Amino acid sequence: MAEVSNKQVILREYVTGFPKESDLYVSSTATIKLKLSEPEHEGSSNKLVLVKNLYLSCDPYQRLLMERIEGLSSQPNSSFTPGSPIYGYGVAKVLDSGHPDLKAGDLVWGTTYWEEYSRIPAPEGLIKIQHTDVPLSYYTGILGMPGLTAYVGFYEICSPKKGEHVFISAAAGAVGQLVGQFAKLMGCYVVGSAGSKEKVDLLKNKLGFDEAFNYKEEADLNAAFKRYFPEGIDIYFENVGGKMLDAVLLNMRLHGRIAVCGMISQYNLDQAEGVTNLMHLVYKRIRLHGFSVRDHYHLHSKFVESMLPYIRQGKIVYMEDIVEGLESGPRALVGLFKGLNFGKQVVDISA
Amino acid sequence: MAEVSNKQVILREYVTGFPKESDLYVSSTATIKLKLSEPEHEGSSNKLVLVKNLYLSCDPYQRLLMERIEGLSSQPNSSFTPGSPIYGYGVAKVLDSGHPDLKAGDLVWGTTYWEEYSRIPAPEGLIKIQHTDVPLSYYTGILGMPGLTAYVGFYEICSPKKGEHVFISAAAGAVGQLVGQFAKLMGCYVVGSAGSKEKVDLLKNKLGFDEAFNYKEEADLNAAFKRYFPEGIDIYFENVGGKMLDAVLLNMRLHGRIAVCGMISQYNLDQAEGVTNLMHLVYKRIRLHGFSVRDHYHLHSKFVESMLPYIRQGKIVYMEDIVEGLESGPRALVGLFKGLNFGKQVVDISA
């Protein structure tokens, strides 16, 4: 069978410091057969699925994979390979399947490559999409990895109670915007931080946060927390790390909980900022809990079923920032680290 | 009624940096009546008890009280007052009581002052001692605050399982030596760090640790952990903070737990050392949990009953470093921060 061209987004070299658009490039040299070989198709042990990629997800953790990861035996991901296409979460349509649970025409989400067509193992890497009355891109966001991250991080890790005081950093991002809405649904007081006036307005006017502030305009973060949380913070949903975490620690309340989802402010630094206020973990008996959505995918179908009514009734909204075409991918991905995205950053390659 | 002399250990001034013996002084100018007044005795609302102090406990947290504590509304303690006697845990004998549950002759432990005789509220501050077939000084250590700290921190906060790999810093101290023995009783692999060859020998030869090392002889803590924990650390009982915590984070295993009991290495620094490896909380999904024994005193009597058989049968041993007389108190207390104590540091003023 003839091969077709398969455009790809390639990592040029391992990255140090802030990633640049030129650290990635789009290549049109690869080709791919749009059919599995006979042994692959007949359900060999690796259960390959051939997909056409539709939506690619830009997520902060991908920055960590742009450098050589060493000595992290517990790190679940391996680095991207320079000269090869990067990978991430995405939504795709099955073209051919060597797995009995998936057939041509099925829609799936999961780990895929930044290219037009991919060969992926299933079901380890792919989950079948059951509901298509919502935007398919939602499976890179509210109904995919970021959504389940927000759900698990808030409900399971933070053990929230009605009336508690919740702070969320990177609150206009793919995860933060959902944590804030979950916390409001539970009857909490919710404050978010973001990096622009437009995002602050979004949080307050569209997403229902009680308060929001632009961290770039706060020379003294501790003073900002004293203003927004005069009685202290019960729950902090941590997306940024560094100075923000240090100031939050000073303002936590007795028996507070901090869910550590990520630390985007630290990913581009040669040496992470030192956090100095950890004795407040003892003073206030705080639980600081790192988690990964990877431990919780067994909850995904239950999670989707519980979210769909809220989405359909407009009780939870989701902001997406969608760019078109693989060529727009590098700029969209590196833009995350300058906060250029307005909501969940997605690359639409369905055309 | 005549007053008697009441020797006291007084804080001279608020302390910065490492405390010196001269930051404290012994005064013989105070006097006290060895009987409560009639209204105090008849059970007025403050339920005063008059005690003769027998054993005074030297504990690292007392360093935190030697400076002015500001802006820590959740800090359970208030600073010591310059010109006044310091306070801490101790064992005492009741001389007179305004509380119906305590009577003259009873032995108690709890919060008392560094002086010969004290007037203390009960039962908030004092717990009656029920078992006197063990050394009374044990109620400043294995059967008192440090013992319950080790018990709660290990069993409740760390959720240990048989066979797990446990690391304990300040392992020859009042708390660490017990955590190590608890972990061995549970069937864990246990390594401790301490600051001298003698303490390392104690850990390995008397307290049953599998391994121990002198942190002062390890130029590269990360390398030390790679040597003692080639498969990583499941549980870290944190007593020291700073660089030790940073190196431990690099060597934690997936789903590890860290109980933060204290951070003695940081108490004398103007600015705490920054901890830079907190992203490992996410990589390995680690729970870092500050706790205080103050939240768990309801478990104390059950704890004592469960410990006594182990003590009587010699299945748990307890190392004490006892000095004689109030005059020895200042040197003993500040010695903690140089690691001069060999086991639980106690001041015996029972003579």
Side-chain angles (χ1 to χ4, degrees), chain A residues 58-221:
Chain A
C58 298
D59 293 293
Y61 81 89
Q62 291 172 295
R63 169 62 186 85
L64 301 172
L65 309 185
M66 291 183 194
E67 53 196 279
R68 197 192 304 268
I69 297 171
E70 283 171 308
L72 278 186
S73 56
S74 309
Q75 221 321 2
N77 295 297
S78 54
S79 305
F80 295 146
T81 305
S84 293
I86 66 170
Y87 63 87
Y89 288 93
V91 172
K93 178 185 255 179
V94 175
L95 299 183
D96 195 3
S97 172
H99 194 285
D101 295 349
L102 293 175
K103 62 178 194 306
D106 282 348
L107 293 163
V108 292
W109 76 272
T111 299
T112 189
Y113 292 88
W114 281 43
E115 56 189 358
E116 292 174 280
Y117 305 97
S118 296
R119 293 154 54 91
I120 319 251
E124 295 77 11
L126 296 176
I127 297 175
K128 186 169 171 178
I129 291 175
Q130 308 286 353
H131 301 275
T132 56
D133 63 326
V134 292
L136 276 183
S137 56
Y138 274 17
Y139 290 91
T140 69
I142 184 169
L143 294 177
M145 181 278 283
L148 187 60
T149 298
Y151 181 85
V152 164
F154 184 62
Y155 292 111
E156 305 267 320
I157 306 292
C158 292
S159 314
K161 290 189 284 291
K162 185 175 177 194
E164 287 196 313
H165 296 191
V166 177
F167 175 63
I168 301 153
S169 54
V175 175
Q177 60 175 308
L178 289 173
V179 176
Q181 293 180 80
F182 293 159
K184 284 309 301 173
L185 285 172
M186 175 156 270
C188 296
Y189 167 76
V190 182
V191 179
S193 65
S196 74
K197 180 179 183 310
E198 291 68 27
K199 291 179 185 176
V200 167
D201 289 345
L202 170 77
L203 294 174
K204 291 204 284 195
N205 301 329
K206 180 143 184 180
L207 300 177
F209 283 57
D210 294 290
E211 295 285 353
F213 65 88
N214 180 349
Y215 71 90
K216 294 176 181 170
E217 291 182 350
E218 301 290 345
D220 181 347
L221 285 171

Side-chain angles (χ1 to χ4, degrees), chain A residues 267-343:
Chain A
Y267 298 167
N268 303 308
L269 305 179
D270 288 342
Q271 173 66 51
E273 292 172 331
V275 173
T276 60
N277 293 323
L278 291 171
M279 258 308 280
H280 287 255
L281 298 179
V282 181
Y283 297 148
K284 289 94 163 257
R285 294 84 132 179
I286 294 166
R287 197 176 70 208
L288 180 63
H289 201 158
F291 73 101
S292 167
V293 67
R294 287 166 181 263
D295 297 333
H296 304 275
Y297 276 128
H298 58 283
L299 299 174
H300 182 260
S301 61
K302 190 182 131 207
F303 161 71
V304 168
E305 298 302 328
S306 71
M307 286 295 286
L308 283 167
Y310 287 97
I311 295 173
R312 290 170 182 148
Q313 295 162 31
K315 289 185 179 162
I316 291 183
V317 296
Y318 197 61
M319 296 301 297
E320 295 178 301
D321 187 338
I322 302 186
V323 297
E324 304 285 331
L326 266 184
E327 289 76 6
S328 306
R331 180 196 292 258
L333 179 55
V334 307
L336 286 181
F337 303 97
K338 294 179 181 154
L340 299 184
N341 57 308
F342 196 78

Side-chain angles (χ1 to χ4, degrees), chain B residues 329-349:
Chain B
R331 179 196 292 258
L333 180 54
V334 306
L336 286 181
F337 303 97
K338 294 179 182 154
L340 299 184
N341 57 307
F342 196 78
K344 168 69 199 173
Q345 183 70 62
V346 184
V347 184
D348 177 354
I349 58 170

